[in-house]
Short mmCIF file of all heavy atoms in Angstrom, two decimals:
data_model
loop_
_atom_site.label_atom_id
_atom_site.label_comp_id
_atom_site.label_asym_id
_atom_site.label_seq_id
_atom_site.Cartn_x
_atom_site.Cartn_y
_atom_site.Cartn_z
N MET A 219 231.33 17.30 -170.71
CA MET A 219 231.47 16.82 -172.06
C MET A 219 232.77 17.46 -172.70
O MET A 219 233.18 18.56 -172.29
CB MET A 219 230.28 17.28 -172.88
CG MET A 219 229.11 16.36 -172.69
SD MET A 219 227.65 16.84 -173.48
CE MET A 219 227.77 16.53 -175.10
N LYS A 220 233.28 16.75 -173.60
CA LYS A 220 234.50 17.20 -174.21
C LYS A 220 234.29 18.44 -175.07
O LYS A 220 235.16 19.27 -175.24
CB LYS A 220 235.11 16.06 -175.01
CG LYS A 220 236.51 16.24 -175.41
CD LYS A 220 237.10 14.96 -175.92
CE LYS A 220 238.60 15.12 -175.94
NZ LYS A 220 239.32 14.12 -175.27
N ARG A 221 233.15 18.51 -175.72
CA ARG A 221 232.85 19.61 -176.60
C ARG A 221 232.76 20.95 -175.85
O ARG A 221 233.26 21.97 -176.37
CB ARG A 221 231.53 19.32 -177.33
CG ARG A 221 231.20 20.45 -178.31
CD ARG A 221 229.95 20.10 -179.09
NE ARG A 221 229.65 21.17 -180.01
CZ ARG A 221 228.52 21.36 -180.58
NH1 ARG A 221 227.55 20.53 -180.39
NH2 ARG A 221 228.37 22.34 -181.41
N ASN A 222 232.20 20.94 -174.69
CA ASN A 222 232.10 22.17 -173.88
C ASN A 222 233.49 22.62 -173.45
O ASN A 222 233.78 23.82 -173.34
CB ASN A 222 231.20 21.99 -172.66
CG ASN A 222 229.74 21.99 -173.08
OD1 ASN A 222 229.36 22.47 -174.08
ND2 ASN A 222 228.91 21.31 -172.26
N ARG A 223 234.32 21.64 -173.08
CA ARG A 223 235.70 22.00 -172.67
C ARG A 223 236.47 22.58 -173.82
O ARG A 223 237.26 23.56 -173.63
CB ARG A 223 236.35 20.74 -172.10
CG ARG A 223 237.60 21.05 -171.31
CD ARG A 223 238.04 19.82 -170.56
NE ARG A 223 237.06 19.59 -169.47
CZ ARG A 223 236.95 18.38 -168.88
NH1 ARG A 223 237.69 17.38 -169.23
NH2 ARG A 223 236.06 18.26 -167.93
N THR A 224 236.35 21.99 -175.00
CA THR A 224 237.00 22.52 -176.20
C THR A 224 236.53 23.94 -176.53
O THR A 224 237.31 24.82 -176.84
CB THR A 224 236.80 21.62 -177.38
OG1 THR A 224 237.21 20.31 -177.06
CG2 THR A 224 237.61 22.11 -178.58
N THR A 225 235.21 24.16 -176.43
CA THR A 225 234.67 25.46 -176.65
C THR A 225 235.24 26.50 -175.63
O THR A 225 235.54 27.58 -175.99
CB THR A 225 233.13 25.41 -176.58
OG1 THR A 225 232.64 24.42 -177.49
CG2 THR A 225 232.51 26.72 -176.92
N ALA A 226 235.33 26.07 -174.42
CA ALA A 226 235.87 26.97 -173.33
C ALA A 226 237.29 27.37 -173.67
O ALA A 226 237.68 28.54 -173.50
CB ALA A 226 235.78 26.30 -171.99
N ILE A 227 238.11 26.42 -174.12
CA ILE A 227 239.49 26.71 -174.42
C ILE A 227 239.58 27.72 -175.61
O ILE A 227 240.36 28.63 -175.60
CB ILE A 227 240.27 25.42 -174.75
CG1 ILE A 227 240.45 24.64 -173.44
CG2 ILE A 227 241.67 25.67 -175.32
CD1 ILE A 227 240.93 23.18 -173.69
N ILE A 228 238.74 27.54 -176.56
CA ILE A 228 238.67 28.47 -177.75
C ILE A 228 238.29 29.83 -177.28
O ILE A 228 238.89 30.83 -177.70
CB ILE A 228 237.75 27.93 -178.82
CG1 ILE A 228 238.35 26.69 -179.49
CG2 ILE A 228 237.50 28.98 -179.92
CD1 ILE A 228 237.48 25.93 -180.42
N TYR A 229 237.31 29.93 -176.37
CA TYR A 229 236.86 31.23 -175.82
C TYR A 229 238.02 31.89 -175.07
O TYR A 229 238.21 33.12 -175.14
CB TYR A 229 235.64 31.09 -174.99
CG TYR A 229 234.37 30.94 -175.72
CD1 TYR A 229 233.25 30.37 -175.15
CD2 TYR A 229 234.26 31.33 -177.07
CE1 TYR A 229 232.05 30.18 -175.84
CE2 TYR A 229 233.06 31.13 -177.76
CZ TYR A 229 231.99 30.60 -177.17
OH TYR A 229 230.82 30.47 -177.84
N TYR A 230 238.80 31.13 -174.29
CA TYR A 230 239.91 31.68 -173.54
C TYR A 230 240.97 32.22 -174.50
O TYR A 230 241.55 33.29 -174.24
CB TYR A 230 240.51 30.60 -172.63
CG TYR A 230 239.71 30.25 -171.43
CD1 TYR A 230 239.68 28.97 -170.93
CD2 TYR A 230 238.97 31.22 -170.76
CE1 TYR A 230 238.92 28.66 -169.83
CE2 TYR A 230 238.19 30.90 -169.64
CZ TYR A 230 238.22 29.61 -169.19
OH TYR A 230 237.46 29.29 -168.08
N ILE A 231 241.27 31.54 -175.61
CA ILE A 231 242.21 31.99 -176.54
C ILE A 231 241.76 33.30 -177.18
O ILE A 231 242.57 34.21 -177.35
CB ILE A 231 242.47 30.90 -177.60
CG1 ILE A 231 243.22 29.73 -176.96
CG2 ILE A 231 243.35 31.43 -178.76
CD1 ILE A 231 243.34 28.48 -177.86
N ILE A 232 240.46 33.34 -177.56
CA ILE A 232 239.94 34.59 -178.11
C ILE A 232 240.05 35.74 -177.10
O ILE A 232 240.42 36.87 -177.50
CB ILE A 232 238.49 34.35 -178.56
CG1 ILE A 232 238.45 33.40 -179.75
CG2 ILE A 232 237.80 35.67 -178.93
CD1 ILE A 232 237.05 32.96 -180.12
N ALA A 233 239.78 35.48 -175.83
CA ALA A 233 239.91 36.54 -174.82
C ALA A 233 241.34 37.05 -174.71
O ALA A 233 241.55 38.26 -174.66
CB ALA A 233 239.45 35.97 -173.45
N VAL A 234 242.29 36.16 -174.80
CA VAL A 234 243.72 36.56 -174.74
C VAL A 234 244.05 37.47 -175.92
O VAL A 234 244.75 38.48 -175.80
CB VAL A 234 244.65 35.36 -174.67
CG1 VAL A 234 246.07 35.73 -174.88
CG2 VAL A 234 244.50 34.63 -173.33
N LEU A 235 243.53 37.10 -177.12
CA LEU A 235 243.77 37.91 -178.31
C LEU A 235 243.16 39.29 -178.16
O LEU A 235 243.77 40.29 -178.57
CB LEU A 235 243.25 37.20 -179.56
CG LEU A 235 243.98 35.93 -179.94
CD1 LEU A 235 243.28 35.27 -181.07
CD2 LEU A 235 245.43 36.16 -180.23
N PHE A 236 241.97 39.36 -177.61
CA PHE A 236 241.29 40.67 -177.38
C PHE A 236 242.15 41.51 -176.38
O PHE A 236 242.29 42.73 -176.52
CB PHE A 236 239.89 40.56 -176.88
CG PHE A 236 238.86 40.42 -177.99
CD1 PHE A 236 238.17 39.20 -178.19
CD2 PHE A 236 238.59 41.45 -178.80
CE1 PHE A 236 237.24 39.07 -179.18
CE2 PHE A 236 237.61 41.35 -179.81
CZ PHE A 236 236.95 40.15 -180.01
N TYR A 237 242.67 40.83 -175.36
CA TYR A 237 243.51 41.60 -174.40
C TYR A 237 244.75 42.10 -174.99
O TYR A 237 245.21 43.21 -174.69
CB TYR A 237 243.84 40.66 -173.19
CG TYR A 237 242.67 40.45 -172.27
CD1 TYR A 237 242.51 39.23 -171.60
CD2 TYR A 237 241.74 41.37 -172.03
CE1 TYR A 237 241.48 39.03 -170.74
CE2 TYR A 237 240.66 41.20 -171.15
CZ TYR A 237 240.55 39.98 -170.53
OH TYR A 237 239.53 39.77 -169.65
N ILE A 238 245.36 41.34 -175.93
CA ILE A 238 246.58 41.82 -176.58
C ILE A 238 246.28 43.05 -177.48
O ILE A 238 247.03 44.00 -177.45
CB ILE A 238 247.18 40.68 -177.47
CG1 ILE A 238 247.75 39.58 -176.52
CG2 ILE A 238 248.24 41.16 -178.39
CD1 ILE A 238 248.18 38.30 -177.24
N VAL A 239 245.12 43.00 -178.16
CA VAL A 239 244.80 44.15 -178.96
C VAL A 239 244.47 45.36 -178.04
O VAL A 239 244.83 46.49 -178.40
CB VAL A 239 243.54 43.82 -179.84
CG1 VAL A 239 243.02 45.05 -180.54
CG2 VAL A 239 243.92 42.72 -180.85
N ALA A 240 243.90 45.13 -176.89
CA ALA A 240 243.61 46.23 -175.94
C ALA A 240 244.91 46.86 -175.48
O ALA A 240 245.04 48.09 -175.40
CB ALA A 240 242.79 45.70 -174.75
N ILE A 241 245.93 46.01 -175.20
CA ILE A 241 247.21 46.56 -174.73
C ILE A 241 247.85 47.43 -175.85
O ILE A 241 248.40 48.48 -175.60
CB ILE A 241 248.09 45.41 -174.30
CG1 ILE A 241 247.58 44.78 -172.99
CG2 ILE A 241 249.54 45.85 -174.09
CD1 ILE A 241 248.26 43.50 -172.63
N ILE A 242 247.76 46.94 -177.03
CA ILE A 242 248.30 47.69 -178.20
C ILE A 242 247.62 49.05 -178.32
O ILE A 242 248.27 50.06 -178.53
CB ILE A 242 248.17 46.84 -179.50
CG1 ILE A 242 249.11 45.67 -179.47
CG2 ILE A 242 248.44 47.74 -180.71
CD1 ILE A 242 248.89 44.66 -180.58
N HIS A 243 246.32 49.06 -178.17
CA HIS A 243 245.61 50.37 -178.23
C HIS A 243 245.93 51.28 -177.08
O HIS A 243 245.94 52.49 -177.31
CB HIS A 243 244.09 50.15 -178.33
CG HIS A 243 243.62 49.76 -179.71
ND1 HIS A 243 243.70 50.56 -180.75
CD2 HIS A 243 243.07 48.56 -180.14
CE1 HIS A 243 243.17 49.95 -181.82
NE2 HIS A 243 242.81 48.76 -181.47
N PHE A 244 246.21 50.71 -175.91
CA PHE A 244 246.56 51.54 -174.78
C PHE A 244 247.90 52.22 -174.99
O PHE A 244 248.10 53.37 -174.65
CB PHE A 244 246.59 50.76 -173.45
CG PHE A 244 245.25 50.55 -172.87
CD1 PHE A 244 244.84 49.31 -172.46
CD2 PHE A 244 244.34 51.60 -172.61
CE1 PHE A 244 243.59 49.13 -171.85
CE2 PHE A 244 243.11 51.43 -172.05
CZ PHE A 244 242.76 50.16 -171.62
N PHE A 245 248.82 51.52 -175.62
CA PHE A 245 250.14 52.05 -175.88
C PHE A 245 250.12 53.05 -177.08
O PHE A 245 251.06 53.84 -177.19
CB PHE A 245 251.19 51.00 -176.12
CG PHE A 245 251.65 50.31 -174.86
CD1 PHE A 245 251.56 48.97 -174.68
CD2 PHE A 245 252.11 51.04 -173.76
CE1 PHE A 245 251.93 48.36 -173.52
CE2 PHE A 245 252.50 50.47 -172.58
CZ PHE A 245 252.41 49.10 -172.48
N ASP A 246 249.12 52.97 -177.94
CA ASP A 246 249.00 53.88 -179.06
C ASP A 246 248.17 55.13 -178.69
O ASP A 246 247.78 55.89 -179.60
CB ASP A 246 248.33 53.18 -180.24
CG ASP A 246 249.30 52.18 -180.91
OD1 ASP A 246 250.50 52.34 -180.74
OD2 ASP A 246 248.77 51.34 -181.66
N ASP A 247 247.90 55.34 -177.42
CA ASP A 247 247.15 56.48 -176.94
C ASP A 247 245.70 56.52 -177.44
O ASP A 247 245.10 57.57 -177.58
CB ASP A 247 247.83 57.81 -177.23
CG ASP A 247 249.11 57.92 -176.45
OD1 ASP A 247 249.19 57.40 -175.35
OD2 ASP A 247 250.05 58.64 -176.94
N ALA A 248 245.16 55.33 -177.76
CA ALA A 248 243.75 55.27 -178.15
C ALA A 248 243.01 54.60 -176.99
O ALA A 248 242.63 53.45 -177.04
CB ALA A 248 243.60 54.45 -179.42
N ILE A 249 242.86 55.32 -175.90
CA ILE A 249 242.33 54.82 -174.66
C ILE A 249 240.88 54.29 -174.84
O ILE A 249 240.50 53.22 -174.33
CB ILE A 249 242.38 55.85 -173.57
CG1 ILE A 249 243.80 56.34 -173.34
CG2 ILE A 249 241.80 55.32 -172.24
CD1 ILE A 249 244.78 55.32 -172.84
N GLY A 250 240.08 54.98 -175.63
CA GLY A 250 238.69 54.60 -175.83
C GLY A 250 238.60 53.21 -176.49
O GLY A 250 237.83 52.38 -176.13
N TYR A 251 239.43 53.05 -177.54
CA TYR A 251 239.43 51.76 -178.23
C TYR A 251 240.00 50.65 -177.29
O TYR A 251 239.58 49.50 -177.34
CB TYR A 251 240.24 51.79 -179.50
CG TYR A 251 239.56 52.59 -180.61
CD1 TYR A 251 240.14 53.73 -181.15
CD2 TYR A 251 238.35 52.14 -181.16
CE1 TYR A 251 239.52 54.43 -182.17
CE2 TYR A 251 237.71 52.86 -182.16
CZ TYR A 251 238.28 53.98 -182.64
OH TYR A 251 237.67 54.71 -183.64
N GLY A 252 240.98 51.00 -176.53
CA GLY A 252 241.58 50.06 -175.58
C GLY A 252 240.54 49.56 -174.56
O GLY A 252 240.51 48.33 -174.26
N ILE A 253 239.77 50.44 -174.07
CA ILE A 253 238.74 50.03 -173.11
C ILE A 253 237.68 49.19 -173.79
O ILE A 253 237.23 48.17 -173.18
CB ILE A 253 238.07 51.33 -172.46
CG1 ILE A 253 239.11 51.98 -171.53
CG2 ILE A 253 236.82 50.92 -171.65
CD1 ILE A 253 238.66 53.31 -171.02
N THR A 254 237.35 49.49 -175.03
CA THR A 254 236.36 48.69 -175.78
C THR A 254 236.85 47.25 -175.95
O THR A 254 236.16 46.29 -175.69
CB THR A 254 236.04 49.33 -177.10
OG1 THR A 254 235.59 50.63 -176.88
CG2 THR A 254 235.02 48.49 -177.89
N TRP A 255 238.13 47.10 -176.36
CA TRP A 255 238.69 45.79 -176.66
C TRP A 255 238.87 45.03 -175.29
O TRP A 255 238.71 43.80 -175.24
CB TRP A 255 240.03 45.89 -177.35
CG TRP A 255 239.81 46.30 -178.77
CD1 TRP A 255 239.96 47.54 -179.30
CD2 TRP A 255 239.45 45.40 -179.87
NE1 TRP A 255 239.67 47.47 -180.66
CE2 TRP A 255 239.38 46.21 -181.04
CE3 TRP A 255 239.16 44.08 -179.96
CZ2 TRP A 255 239.03 45.68 -182.24
CZ3 TRP A 255 238.87 43.51 -181.20
CH2 TRP A 255 238.80 44.33 -182.32
N LEU A 256 239.15 45.77 -174.23
CA LEU A 256 239.29 45.17 -172.88
C LEU A 256 237.96 44.57 -172.43
O LEU A 256 237.88 43.45 -171.92
CB LEU A 256 239.81 46.19 -171.91
CG LEU A 256 240.20 45.69 -170.52
CD1 LEU A 256 241.46 44.84 -170.63
CD2 LEU A 256 240.44 46.87 -169.64
N CYS A 257 236.86 45.30 -172.70
CA CYS A 257 235.52 44.83 -172.31
C CYS A 257 235.14 43.61 -173.15
O CYS A 257 234.53 42.67 -172.62
CB CYS A 257 234.50 45.94 -172.47
SG CYS A 257 234.68 47.27 -171.27
N LEU A 258 235.49 43.64 -174.40
CA LEU A 258 235.17 42.50 -175.26
C LEU A 258 235.96 41.26 -174.83
O LEU A 258 235.43 40.11 -174.83
CB LEU A 258 235.47 42.84 -176.72
CG LEU A 258 234.50 43.81 -177.40
CD1 LEU A 258 235.03 44.17 -178.78
CD2 LEU A 258 233.17 43.15 -177.51
N GLY A 259 237.22 41.43 -174.46
CA GLY A 259 238.02 40.35 -173.96
C GLY A 259 237.44 39.77 -172.66
O GLY A 259 237.45 38.54 -172.49
N SER A 260 236.94 40.62 -171.79
CA SER A 260 236.32 40.16 -170.56
C SER A 260 235.08 39.40 -170.81
O SER A 260 234.73 38.43 -170.11
CB SER A 260 236.07 41.39 -169.66
OG SER A 260 237.26 42.01 -169.33
N MET A 261 234.32 39.84 -171.85
CA MET A 261 233.12 39.08 -172.20
C MET A 261 233.43 37.65 -172.67
O MET A 261 232.82 36.67 -172.21
CB MET A 261 232.36 39.80 -173.29
CG MET A 261 231.08 39.08 -173.73
SD MET A 261 230.43 39.64 -175.30
CE MET A 261 231.67 39.09 -176.45
N TRP A 262 234.45 37.52 -173.51
CA TRP A 262 234.88 36.20 -173.96
C TRP A 262 235.43 35.34 -172.83
O TRP A 262 235.22 34.15 -172.77
CB TRP A 262 235.86 36.31 -175.06
CG TRP A 262 235.23 36.73 -176.37
CD1 TRP A 262 235.31 37.96 -176.92
CD2 TRP A 262 234.46 35.94 -177.27
NE1 TRP A 262 234.57 37.98 -178.11
CE2 TRP A 262 234.01 36.73 -178.32
CE3 TRP A 262 233.99 34.61 -177.24
CZ2 TRP A 262 233.24 36.26 -179.37
CZ3 TRP A 262 233.25 34.12 -178.28
CH2 TRP A 262 232.86 34.96 -179.32
N LEU A 263 236.08 35.99 -171.86
CA LEU A 263 236.60 35.25 -170.73
C LEU A 263 235.40 34.72 -169.88
O LEU A 263 235.48 33.57 -169.43
CB LEU A 263 237.49 36.16 -169.88
CG LEU A 263 238.21 35.52 -168.70
CD1 LEU A 263 239.27 34.62 -169.25
CD2 LEU A 263 238.83 36.63 -167.86
N CYS A 264 234.37 35.49 -169.69
CA CYS A 264 233.23 35.05 -168.97
C CYS A 264 232.52 33.91 -169.69
O CYS A 264 232.06 32.94 -169.07
CB CYS A 264 232.25 36.19 -168.75
SG CYS A 264 232.85 37.43 -167.58
N LEU A 265 232.41 33.99 -170.98
CA LEU A 265 231.77 32.94 -171.79
C LEU A 265 232.57 31.67 -171.65
O LEU A 265 232.04 30.56 -171.52
CB LEU A 265 231.66 33.35 -173.24
CG LEU A 265 230.58 34.30 -173.55
CD1 LEU A 265 230.66 34.72 -175.00
CD2 LEU A 265 229.19 33.74 -173.30
N GLY A 266 233.89 31.76 -171.64
CA GLY A 266 234.74 30.61 -171.50
C GLY A 266 234.54 29.95 -170.13
O GLY A 266 234.48 28.72 -170.03
N SER A 267 234.43 30.75 -169.08
CA SER A 267 234.25 30.14 -167.78
C SER A 267 232.89 29.51 -167.62
O SER A 267 232.77 28.49 -166.96
CB SER A 267 234.45 31.22 -166.69
OG SER A 267 233.40 32.22 -166.77
N VAL A 268 231.87 30.06 -168.31
CA VAL A 268 230.55 29.40 -168.24
C VAL A 268 230.56 28.07 -168.92
O VAL A 268 230.07 27.05 -168.37
CB VAL A 268 229.49 30.32 -168.97
CG1 VAL A 268 228.25 29.58 -169.26
CG2 VAL A 268 229.25 31.54 -168.08
N TYR A 269 231.21 27.95 -170.08
CA TYR A 269 231.27 26.70 -170.75
C TYR A 269 232.19 25.70 -170.03
O TYR A 269 231.91 24.52 -170.02
CB TYR A 269 231.77 26.85 -172.20
CG TYR A 269 230.70 27.19 -173.17
CD1 TYR A 269 230.33 28.49 -173.44
CD2 TYR A 269 229.92 26.19 -173.75
CE1 TYR A 269 229.30 28.81 -174.28
CE2 TYR A 269 228.92 26.47 -174.61
CZ TYR A 269 228.59 27.81 -174.90
OH TYR A 269 227.55 28.06 -175.72
N PHE A 270 233.25 26.18 -169.34
CA PHE A 270 234.09 25.29 -168.59
C PHE A 270 233.36 24.76 -167.42
O PHE A 270 233.46 23.54 -167.08
CB PHE A 270 235.34 26.01 -168.13
CG PHE A 270 236.34 25.19 -167.48
CD1 PHE A 270 237.06 24.23 -168.20
CD2 PHE A 270 236.54 25.24 -166.08
CE1 PHE A 270 237.98 23.39 -167.58
CE2 PHE A 270 237.44 24.44 -165.47
CZ PHE A 270 238.18 23.50 -166.20
N LEU A 271 232.56 25.60 -166.70
CA LEU A 271 231.78 25.12 -165.54
C LEU A 271 230.66 24.19 -166.01
O LEU A 271 230.33 23.22 -165.29
CB LEU A 271 231.20 26.28 -164.75
CG LEU A 271 232.23 27.11 -163.98
CD1 LEU A 271 231.56 28.33 -163.36
CD2 LEU A 271 232.89 26.27 -162.91
N LYS A 272 230.10 24.42 -167.19
CA LYS A 272 229.06 23.51 -167.71
C LYS A 272 229.66 22.16 -167.95
O LYS A 272 229.02 21.12 -167.69
CB LYS A 272 228.49 24.14 -168.98
CG LYS A 272 227.27 23.36 -169.53
CD LYS A 272 226.84 23.91 -170.87
CE LYS A 272 226.14 25.18 -170.75
NZ LYS A 272 225.54 25.62 -172.02
N SER A 273 230.87 22.08 -168.49
CA SER A 273 231.48 20.78 -168.74
C SER A 273 231.81 20.09 -167.49
O SER A 273 231.71 18.86 -167.38
CB SER A 273 232.76 20.93 -169.63
OG SER A 273 233.78 21.54 -168.90
N GLN A 274 232.23 20.83 -166.43
CA GLN A 274 232.51 20.19 -165.13
C GLN A 274 231.26 19.68 -164.51
O GLN A 274 231.26 18.60 -163.89
CB GLN A 274 233.18 21.16 -164.20
CG GLN A 274 234.65 21.35 -164.46
CD GLN A 274 235.27 22.21 -163.41
OE1 GLN A 274 234.62 22.99 -162.74
NE2 GLN A 274 236.58 22.09 -163.29
N ASN A 275 230.13 20.39 -164.57
CA ASN A 275 228.86 19.94 -164.04
C ASN A 275 228.37 18.70 -164.73
O ASN A 275 227.83 17.81 -164.05
CB ASN A 275 227.81 21.04 -164.11
CG ASN A 275 228.11 22.17 -163.11
OD1 ASN A 275 228.87 21.98 -162.15
ND2 ASN A 275 227.52 23.33 -163.38
N LYS A 276 228.51 18.58 -165.98
CA LYS A 276 228.12 17.39 -166.73
C LYS A 276 228.98 16.20 -166.33
O LYS A 276 228.47 15.11 -166.19
CB LYS A 276 228.17 17.63 -168.22
CG LYS A 276 227.22 18.67 -168.68
CD LYS A 276 226.46 18.17 -169.84
CE LYS A 276 225.50 19.31 -170.19
NZ LYS A 276 224.51 18.98 -171.11
N ASP A 277 230.25 16.40 -166.12
CA ASP A 277 231.12 15.34 -165.66
C ASP A 277 230.78 14.91 -164.26
O ASP A 277 230.77 13.72 -163.98
CB ASP A 277 232.60 15.75 -165.72
CG ASP A 277 233.09 15.95 -167.14
OD1 ASP A 277 232.47 15.40 -168.06
OD2 ASP A 277 234.14 16.61 -167.27
N ASP A 278 230.44 15.85 -163.37
CA ASP A 278 230.12 15.51 -162.00
C ASP A 278 228.77 14.79 -161.90
O ASP A 278 228.58 13.90 -161.07
CB ASP A 278 230.07 16.77 -161.15
CG ASP A 278 231.45 17.36 -160.94
OD1 ASP A 278 232.43 16.62 -161.14
OD2 ASP A 278 231.54 18.54 -160.57
N SER A 279 227.81 15.16 -162.75
CA SER A 279 226.52 14.49 -162.70
C SER A 279 226.57 13.05 -163.13
O SER A 279 225.82 12.20 -162.65
CB SER A 279 225.49 15.24 -163.55
OG SER A 279 225.85 15.15 -164.94
N SER A 280 227.50 12.69 -163.98
CA SER A 280 227.64 11.30 -164.40
C SER A 280 228.28 10.47 -163.27
O SER A 280 228.08 9.28 -163.19
CB SER A 280 228.49 11.14 -165.64
OG SER A 280 229.85 11.62 -165.42
N ASP A 281 229.06 11.11 -162.36
CA ASP A 281 229.64 10.37 -161.27
C ASP A 281 228.67 10.18 -160.10
O ASP A 281 228.88 9.30 -159.31
CB ASP A 281 230.90 11.16 -160.72
CG ASP A 281 232.01 11.19 -161.74
OD1 ASP A 281 232.04 10.34 -162.62
OD2 ASP A 281 232.87 12.11 -161.64
N SER A 282 227.62 10.97 -160.06
CA SER A 282 226.71 10.86 -158.95
C SER A 282 225.82 9.60 -159.06
O SER A 282 225.12 9.29 -158.06
CB SER A 282 225.82 12.09 -158.85
OG SER A 282 225.02 12.18 -159.98
N ASP A 283 225.83 8.91 -160.14
CA ASP A 283 225.00 7.70 -160.30
C ASP A 283 225.56 6.57 -159.42
O ASP A 283 224.81 5.64 -159.12
CB ASP A 283 224.97 7.23 -161.75
CG ASP A 283 224.20 8.21 -162.63
OD1 ASP A 283 223.40 9.04 -162.09
OD2 ASP A 283 224.44 8.26 -163.84
N ASP A 284 226.83 6.64 -159.04
CA ASP A 284 227.38 5.57 -158.27
C ASP A 284 226.99 5.59 -156.84
O ASP A 284 227.11 4.60 -156.09
CB ASP A 284 228.93 5.69 -158.33
CG ASP A 284 229.43 5.48 -159.74
OD1 ASP A 284 228.76 4.83 -160.52
OD2 ASP A 284 230.57 6.03 -160.05
N GLU A 285 226.41 6.63 -156.31
CA GLU A 285 226.08 6.76 -154.92
C GLU A 285 224.84 6.01 -154.53
O GLU A 285 223.96 5.62 -155.10
CB GLU A 285 225.88 8.25 -154.53
CG GLU A 285 227.18 8.99 -154.62
CD GLU A 285 226.95 10.43 -154.32
OE1 GLU A 285 225.82 10.91 -154.05
OE2 GLU A 285 227.93 11.17 -154.32
#
């Protein structure tokens, strides 16, 4: 579905923003905050991949009716 794909793209953008903030914290010698933001970015990346795979599975199931 198109909605799941759009949601996945938004989650990927949020993950990139979290990674940017993590890099900023690593360079400011706030390693603890950097690790926290890195983990949050990874969580959003995983959520994006789940929604992306969900959209692919829905697209594939509509094609299986032709068999």
Side-chain angles (χ1 to χ4, degrees):
M219 281 175 74
K220 195 169 196 128
R221 183 176 179 195
N222 286 337
R223 194 167 292 159
T224 305
T225 305
I227 291 170
I228 291 171
Y229 283 159
Y230 287 145
I231 291 170
I232 292 171
V234 168
L235 293 175
F236 273 112
Y237 286 146
I238 290 171
V239 173
I241 290 169
I242 291 171
H243 280 294
F244 279 130
F245 285 124
D246 287 340
D247 293 330
I249 302 296
Y251 287 119
I253 292 172
T254 302
W255 287 98
L256 188 69
C257 291
L258 288 172
S260 298
M261 180 197 67
W262 285 103
L263 187 68
C264 290
L265 285 173
S267 66
V268 165
Y269 274 91
F270 186 71
L271 289 175
K272 187 186 287 187
S273 71
Q274 280 186 339
N275 288 341
K276 295 229 177 189
D277 291 341
D278 290 342
S279 66
S280 64
D281 294 338
S282 65
D283 295 336
D284 296 335
E285 293 178 359

